[in-house]
Amino acid sequence: SADDVPLEIYLNPKIVHYAPSQELDWEGCLSIPGYRGLVPRASEIKIEALDRDGNTVSKTIRGFHARIVQHEVDHIQGRFYVDRMPDLKSWTHVDEFNKIYRSRIQS
C-alpha cells in the first residue's frame, strides 16, 4: 500500500535489474485522469540513481514501491501504464472500477 512506501528522491533513476516474477495489479495515472487498468510489473527491481545530494544510490525495491518506481521511470522514457497493459479489456473508468472491481478486491 501507499503507506508502506517511503518518501525518497531518485535523480536520473535507471532500473538495472528486473526480477523475472511479475505481479498483475491495478494502476491509474494523473496523466490519464479517471481511468484504471491491470498492469503487469516486476515484483522486484534494482535501481541506480543519485540522491538529492548527488550521491550514488543502488537499491533493491520490492512490491508496491517497485511498481511505483517502474511507473515513474516509464514516464521518463515516454511511456504510460496503458502501454504496458497486455490486454485493454481491463481498462475502465474509475466510476466503473469502483462499482465492479473494488468490491472484488476488498472481498
Side-chain angles (χ1 to χ4, degrees), residues 13-15 18 68-78:
K14 293 180 183 139
I15 300 174
Y18 293 86
I68 292 169
V69 171
Q70 289 170 85
H71 179 106
E72 297 304 330
V73 169
D74 274 355
H75 282 307
I76 293 168
Q77 297 172 346

Side-chain angles (χ1 to χ4, degrees), residues 3-85:
D3 295 335
D4 299 329
V5 178
L7 178 59
E8 296 179 328
I9 296 171
Y10 304 124
L11 303 172
N12 299 327
K14 293 180 183 139
I15 300 174
V16 296
H17 177 73
Y18 293 86
S21 61
Q22 291 193 337
E23 296 175 358
L24 188 64
D25 207 349
W26 292 97
E27 287 189 29
C29 184
L30 295 174
S31 297
I32 309 171
Y35 289 88
R36 302 285 182 270
L38 285 170
V39 181
R41 298 279 186 185
S43 58
E44 180 179 293
I45 59 172
K46 182 175 181 181
I47 66 163
E48 292 178 355
L50 299 176
D51 67 14
R52 64 182 356 176
D53 297 318
N55 300 310
T56 301
V57 175
S58 180
K59 187 171 190 176
T60 298
I61 302 170
R62 295 172 187 81
F64 188 63
H65 190 179
R67 177 171 294 278
I68 292 169
V69 171
Q70 289 170 85
H71 179 106
E72 297 304 330
V73 169
D74 274 355
H75 282 307
I76 293 168
Q77 297 172 346
R79 292 189 182 120
F80 294 96
Y81 74 95
V82 292
D83 298 323
R84 297 279 183 194
M85 293 175 64

